Amino acid sequence: MSWNTFGRVLRFTTWGESHGPALGAVVDGCPPGLTLAEHDIQPFLDARRPGQSKFTTQRQEPDAVRILSGVFEGQTTGTPISLMIENTDQRSKDYSEIAQSYRPGHADYAYDAKYGLRDYRGGGRSSARETAARVAAGAVARLVVPEVTITAYVCEIGGDAIDPANFDADEIARNPFWCPDAGAAVRWERLVDEARKAGSSLGAVVECVAEGVPAGWGAPIYAKLDADLAAAMMGINAVKGVEIGDGFGAARLTGEQNADPMHPAAGGPKFDANHAGGIAGGISTGQPVVCRVAFKPTSSILTPVDSITSDGEAVQVRTKGRHDPCVGIRGTPVVAAMMALVLADHKLLNRAQCG
Amino acid sequence: MSWNTFGRVLRFTTWGESHGPALGAVVDGCPPGLTLAEHDIQPFLDARRPGQSKFTTQRQEPDAVRILSGVFEGQTTGTPISLMIENTDQRSKDYSEIAQSYRPGHADYAYDAKYGLRDYRGGGRSSARETAARVAAGAVARLVVPEVTITAYVCEIGGDAIDPANFDADEIARNPFWCPDAGAAVRWERLVDEARKAGSSLGAVVECVAEGVPAGWGAPIYAKLDADLAAAMMGINAVKGVEIGDGFGAARLTGEQNADPMHPAAGGPKFDANHAGGIAGGISTGQPVVCRVAFKPTSSILTPVDSITSDGEAVQVRTKGRHDPCVGIRGTPVVAAMMALVLADHKLLNRAQCG
Amino acid sequence: MSWNTFGRVLRFTTWGESHGPALGAVVDGCPPGLTLAEHDIQPFLDARRPGQSKFTTQRQEPDAVRILSGVFEGQTTGTPISLMIENTDQRSKDYSEIAQSYRPGHADYAYDAKYGLRDYRGGGRSSARETAARVAAGAVARLVVPEVTITAYVCEIGGDAIDPANFDADEIARNPFWCPDAGAAVRWERLVDEARKAGSSLGAVVECVAEGVPAGWGAPIYAKLDADLAAAMMGINAVKGVEIGDGFGAARLTGEQNADPMHPAAGGPKFDANHAGGIAGGISTGQPVVCRVAFKPTSSILTPVDSITSDGEAVQVRTKGRHDPCVGIRGTPVVAAMMALVLADHKLLNRAQCG
Amino acid sequence: MSWNTFGRVLRFTTWGESHGPALGAVVDGCPPGLTLAEHDIQPFLDARRPGQSKFTTQRQEPDAVRILSGVFEGQTTGTPISLMIENTDQRSKDYSEIAQSYRPGHADYAYDAKYGLRDYRGGGRSSARETAARVAAGAVARLVVPEVTITAYVCEIGGDAIDPANFDADEIARNPFWCPDAGAAVRWERLVDEARKAGSSLGAVVECVAEGVPAGWGAPIYAKLDADLAAAMMGINAVKGVEIGDGFGAARLTGEQNADPMHPAAGGPKFDANHAGGIAGGISTGQPVVCRVAFKPTSSILTPVDSITSDGEAVQVRTKGRHDPCVGIRGTPVVAAMMALVLADHKLLNRAQCG
């Protein structure tokens, strides 16, 4: 069945289709007394917003968020916070042609197989547009964990990775790729532009680091911090892989190489390395929480791909709508939002049991 | 807080510590009328059981499961199925020495940071022994999805991968590595044996394929089939990465390369490829569901590693207990069990909403 | 913490305050393919709407519902249905005086004790206005259980009960009290009018009967149909008691008197009586499901009552806002909505496990 | 579907049938560091235990609880606490005769209608024996809320109520009826004995008071403290009604009569009355939480009642097994346990959100 709620204590429910009148999120369980206004949320939506550069879809929407409940005189009241974003640029006519054809790589066929019908306009509920609601919810979550600093950036596009030696956090917001390596950003500009012109698309890898997470968040077994992060990230549109710390790289190390030695220090141990990505046994260790996420190339491409119609006839599908040549780029603020949501939830979860 | 329940409709709760009197699982929501006896569960536990070869820990336990409820005259009744496995080989003395020292890479420090105390014997609740309960629950889940065939195997140990050209499903159960490539199994025997003798450890990658999953299982957004699989797999001890289909490899493909063209066929479309791993938009497509899981090398090694005591003093820790040189091997039946549990849950979830 | 979601499979989340810009509900898990438009919901909201007669609050609002998601071309799609009702008549000035004083019998003091702050305008989140969102959600739930006919009516006001011998289902919608006994409706008119003029208030008992519920809905132990109904009803504002079947009356019967003998009949047993209210062991028996709900008298009265301010000073509070002299009247459609929501949820729950 | 878990943060799952090998509960989310041993639980089980007097079933079982996990060196560790009680006195032969006949008033018919099969021995999962697991879990919950004192007592049997003027808390444990009125206990002795000898049965009303609950536990809307209590109590076998505070009596009061005036006082307001039963808007007010529960008369009686067989034939059923003439008596410790479980859950819930 549908399941549009995420979280255990700080829980949010999203709703809305790409071409419906609006979309939104209801954030429940937020502590009272936090200062919150639209302008605390809007910058995160602006970062995710389409139409910012030629490297993202040209759909133009202000994505202006409204807070409809849960805030009184500028403060959260502890009651559900309803966030709404109206859809203003819905060119439904772009999609009429594919109403009857399944776009390969999209959810079209699976939705019809499951529900027997679907809102085909712009992907309906399966559109990446739904992630705007998560970004809005994530902005609220950040207020719950002010002790944490979350940084997300693209570390690879089309197989071309950044050079860690060139990492410059200040660079991330300076280029349209959320790229911390100025040199890579220049290369990606050409790479993504070529893909865009060719009607092709590229995959990407996004890394997210949360600093300031104290030791003790998370839980053994089925609410492990890493398991919840994995669910949060794999649930983002177009994501096909998630790693914590060294991830698949750890599978190629020996136990000695993978060790994170600890030394006594004030305020918690000092670690020599962070292969574990800040999580052991599902619980944070006090080191930075590190997560890496693989985005597949956008499935919407100009090259015709064999497919079928909803009547089971053969057809070729090429997507002429406005699309991102590399969805991983706009996925970056979504990754950060999901990190914030998972951490905020676990902060409250930990407080519930461990005071 | 603790959260020891997994699933939404078919839900299971596990309990138990490595060196307590017993461990178990309560499986709730199982359909009535399924034929179930201990002998339906025991073979899966035997497959996971330690002490089977020199490549796994030498702890010797029968791991005999008892069904304490939910079955009457050989059939499930629809009420909770309580499964219990008694712990019989608990050499607690092996662990006395590390009661006060945190084993690097283990959950020891994080548990103390969270709870202020821990059952240090054999890792307590964070021991991989807890996965026996999941394997038992998974055996029940398999009965819920008889239409599905689940195969899990190790495809890489210590960076040495199988050759897909040599894949032989029948080979998997013939060697102690769940390896489908007879040649790789020979190489791994030497590799793992060397690691074992050196007191070192190796990582591994496990692949799991579920055939027979119909199109339509899963759900948009927060109960996506892939998101639930990611949580299930990342929650297994020592797992650091999860991929669906091509996973991180998809991030290096173009949209054209990553396409899974469809053609009309009886009983659902015929696909030319399965880059997507059988899931689109969080919903199964009818193709095999493919998942890949990275296990880090066992953190318990003989080489001393710098660490701290619970009093914050410097110490060196080397683990002399009985341990697996490569936990990924014994993790393989656990991966299969979690696949069964997620699929069974989603089969019932889909039935709830879509009849 | 806040918990604004109800249900297990068909789940709904409400949001909104009495004097915020809007309130709403997100209904998740609804089966696809149901015909749904605003005009399927509006009549139920109109029935609950204030200002209908002098016996309810004079607040005037159209309570027009908008469907913002989850419906495409007139049919539910299986994705979350977002329902929004804008608040149009918010005379916040009426409440300025009680911003600092706790109204006895209201949630004011408890909210401040819990959250440290509150939206005092019209009761904020604790206002009965929130029930409009439930009524809207309930209208969707009714579509999920078309086999069920739900009737709710007031059976007692201020201690004056209907005479079962006069029960006339057609009468219910003919008077402003949802009263099935025309004679009682005449008496209540005077009773409630007197209370209204005196600035006093009266309690009421509402009965709700669901016919057409097949045997087998519900679940043993913690999702018992009666337990879920009890939670649903006790969660309605001003409700202080819930009975199933004979309820407290059953506690005064002997086992012989309380028996519901069964006889063979086509399509399920024929029962001689329904003391059990259609539920045995938490599962429906095929008889009508009968529930009775006690509403306390409105706490807002003109008579001054001793209270304290948020600074802990003594004060006397009398409520001059627009209020219902008998909230149980307008609670009647809410009771029916909650019955629909619980039954729809259990229909889907039963289908999940028992096919 | 089955749903055998209760609670949101402090959650417990019960399992087991009346005549299976054992039954138990898994308590999850319990804070770490609480002192817990079997002897903290056993007295509560002994209070509920059958065979204590001729006024309860003569089934003789020690009901000895074992803690299988979650406790280390006498302290809770924060991991799931598995509690098991072995069934030792299972005279299955007593029930062979009713294997094919549905006992009126019992869950037999409803279970078969739902699941298509049932464990008929002693009622299987629907037996009141399951409540032993709740009582065990409740004993753990009490440790989570040491600031709260919970008192449960029978206030009415067969329509014969106690006189509040005679209330003596010390009397409760002195008679076999948990009766706080010594005179009523004498009358009930005759009443219940007559019913027992006649093979008849009587209903009862149980009241439960929790003192020491601070203001602020509970939550608006769907986790209201009173709604959760209603679910908890209505889910107890044989319960047909639940009241908070004045309950149905409040429906017969005016707003003036039902007011609970507040006055300034140290440590929270002083209330003149407690019609509300300590809960306003779903949140505790700091007054005693008062709940009243109606138990129907035991359905198992010697008088033959018309019924049907599972094949749909007419039959008369009289129950010859060992049964309580008044299940409300042994339900009293169960009511207290559920009160403890709900309060403990809400204490932790409140801590999660409001710190």
Side-chain angles (χ1 to χ4, degrees), chain D residues 168-180:
Chain D
D168 175 5
D170 293 336
E171 183 63 29
I172 295 170
R174 283 196 205 117
N175 61 70
F177 304 106
W178 310 109
C179 178

Side-chain angles (χ1 to χ4, degrees), chain B residues 2 4 9 17 28 70 78-79, chain D residues 1-2 4 9 17 28 70 78-79:
Chain B
S2 282
N4 293 277
V9 168
E17 278 79 40
D28 200 5
T79 62
Chain D
M1 82 196 123
S2 283
N4 294 276
V9 168
E17 276 79 40
D28 201 4
T79 62

Side-chain angles (χ1 to χ4, degrees), chain A residues 1-5 8-9 11 13-17 20-22 26 28-29 32-33 66-73 75-80 82 84 111 115 117-121 125, chain C residues 1-5 8-9 11 13-17 20-22 26 28-29 32-33 66-73 75-80 82 84 111 115 117-121 125:
Chain A
M1 82 197 122
S2 282
W3 204 285
N4 294 277
T5 299
R8 298 163 195 273
V9 168
R11 299 175 306 141
T13 302
T14 73
W15 55 269
E17 277 80 39
V26 182
D28 201 4
R66 281 186 69 200
I67 300 174
L68 296 177
S69 68
V71 175
F72 181 60
E73 297 182 344
Q75 287 191 294
T76 59
T77 58
T79 62
S82 178
M84 184 170 73
Y111 263 63
Y115 295 119
L117 81 169
R118 72 195 150 96
D119 180 348
Y120 52 78
R121 300 166 304 163
R125 181 71 180 147
Chain C
M1 82 196 122
S2 282
W3 204 287
N4 294 277
T5 299
R8 299 163 194 273
V9 167
R11 298 176 305 140
T13 302
T14 74
W15 55 269
E17 276 81 39
V26 183
D28 201 4
R66 282 186 68 200
I67 299 175
L68 296 178
S69 68
V71 175
F72 181 60
E73 296 181 345
Q75 287 191 293
T76 60
T77 59
T79 62
S82 179
M84 185 169 72
Y111 263 63
Y115 294 120
L117 80 171
R118 72 195 150 97
D119 180 347
Y120 51 77
R121 300 166 304 165
R125 181 71 180 149

Side-chain angles (χ1 to χ4, degrees), chain A residues 73-124:
Chain A
E73 297 182 344
Q75 287 191 294
T76 59
T77 58
T79 62
I81 300 166
S82 178
L83 306 170
M84 184 170 73
I85 300 162
E86 290 187 63
N87 290 325
T88 54
D89 179 22
Q90 313 151 14
R91 302 196 208 161
S92 294
K93 61 182 180 308
D94 282 349
Y95 297 95
S96 55
E97 174 171 310
I98 55 165
Q100 302 303 323
S101 299
Y102 297 134
R103 294 169 299 165
H106 280 276
D108 299 351
Y109 168 69
Y111 263 63
D112 260 13
K114 182 178 189 70
Y115 295 119
L117 81 169
R118 72 195 150 96
D119 180 348
Y120 52 78
R121 300 166 304 163

Side-chain angles (χ1 to χ4, degrees), chain B residues 50-257:
Chain B
Q52 304 279 70
S53 77
K54 63 184 171 183
F55 307 112
T56 58
T57 173
Q58 291 309 297
R59 180 166 169 158
Q60 295 287 347
E61 311 217 36
D63 275 0
V65 68
R66 283 185 68 199
I67 299 174
L68 296 178
S69 68
V71 175
F72 181 60
E73 296 182 344
Q75 286 191 294
T76 59
T77 59
T79 62
I81 301 167
S82 178
L83 306 170
M84 185 171 73
I85 300 162
E86 290 188 62
N87 289 327
T88 54
D89 180 22
Q90 311 151 13
R91 301 194 208 163
S92 294
K93 62 183 180 308
D94 282 350
Y95 297 96
S96 55
E97 177 170 308
I98 55 164
Q100 302 304 323
S101 299
Y102 297 134
R103 294 168 300 164
H106 281 275
D108 300 352
Y109 168 69
Y111 263 64
D112 260 14
K114 183 178 189 68
Y115 295 119
L117 81 170
R118 72 195 150 96
D119 180 348
Y120 52 77
R121 300 166 304 163
R125 181 70 180 150
S126 74
S127 166
R129 193 152 171 66
E130 183 271 345
T131 61
R134 305 191 209 187
V135 168
V140 176
R142 284 171 189 262
L143 301 176
V144 178
V145 286
E147 64 272 58
V148 177
T149 304
I150 296 169
T151 311
Y153 45 88
V154 181
C155 57
E156 187 181 319
I157 287 184
D160 181 9
I162 61 167
D163 181 347
N166 295 340
F167 188 96
D168 176 4
D170 293 336
E171 182 63 27
I172 295 170
R174 284 197 206 118
N175 61 68
F177 305 106
W178 309 109
C179 178
D181 171 349
V186 172
R187 299 195 306 271
W188 292 353
E189 179 150 353
R190 197 175 54 236
L191 202 61
V192 178
D193 207 31
E194 283 172 7
R196 185 182 61 80
K197 285 177 182 162
S200 181
S201 64
L202 298 168
V205 177
V206 173
E207 193 162 84
C208 186
V209 179
E211 291 171 289
V213 177
W217 292 2
I221 316 304
Y222 304 117
K224 286 185 171 176
L225 184 55
D226 39 4
D228 280 3
L229 281 173
M233 300 304 171
M234 195 67 93
I236 299 173
N237 307 46
V239 168
K240 302 302 285 185
V242 182
E243 296 180 319
I244 303 295
D246 280 9
F248 278 83
R252 282 126 208 173
L253 300 179
T254 64
E256 293 77 15
Q257 292 165 332

Side-chain angles (χ1 to χ4, degrees), chain A residues 155 160-168 179-184 187-188:
Chain A
C155 58
D160 181 9
I162 61 167
D163 181 347
N166 296 340
F167 188 96
D168 176 5
C179 178
D181 171 349
R187 299 195 306 271
W188 293 353

Side-chain angles (χ1 to χ4, degrees), chain C residues 237-324:
Chain C
N237 307 45
V239 170
K240 302 303 284 186
V242 183
E243 296 181 316
I244 302 295
D246 281 9
F248 279 83
R252 282 127 208 172
L253 300 179
T254 64
E256 293 76 15
Q257 293 164 331
N258 192 53
D260 293 329
M262 289 184 271
H263 303 280
K270 189 186 153 299
F271 290 85
D272 289 343
N274 188 16
H275 298 285
I279 303 174
I283 300 173
S284 60
T285 62
Q287 288 198 284
V289 172
V290 181
C291 182
R292 215 161 19 259
V293 181
F295 285 84
K296 69 174 183 182
T298 320
S299 297
S300 302
I301 50 176
L302 274 176
T303 304
V305 180
D306 289 340
S307 186
I308 62 172
T309 67
S310 54
D311 297 327
E313 301 297 312
V315 70
Q316 282 206 324
V317 173
R318 57 197 291 267
T319 310
K320 287 165 298 189
R322 300 154 296 169
H323 294 286
D324 289 308

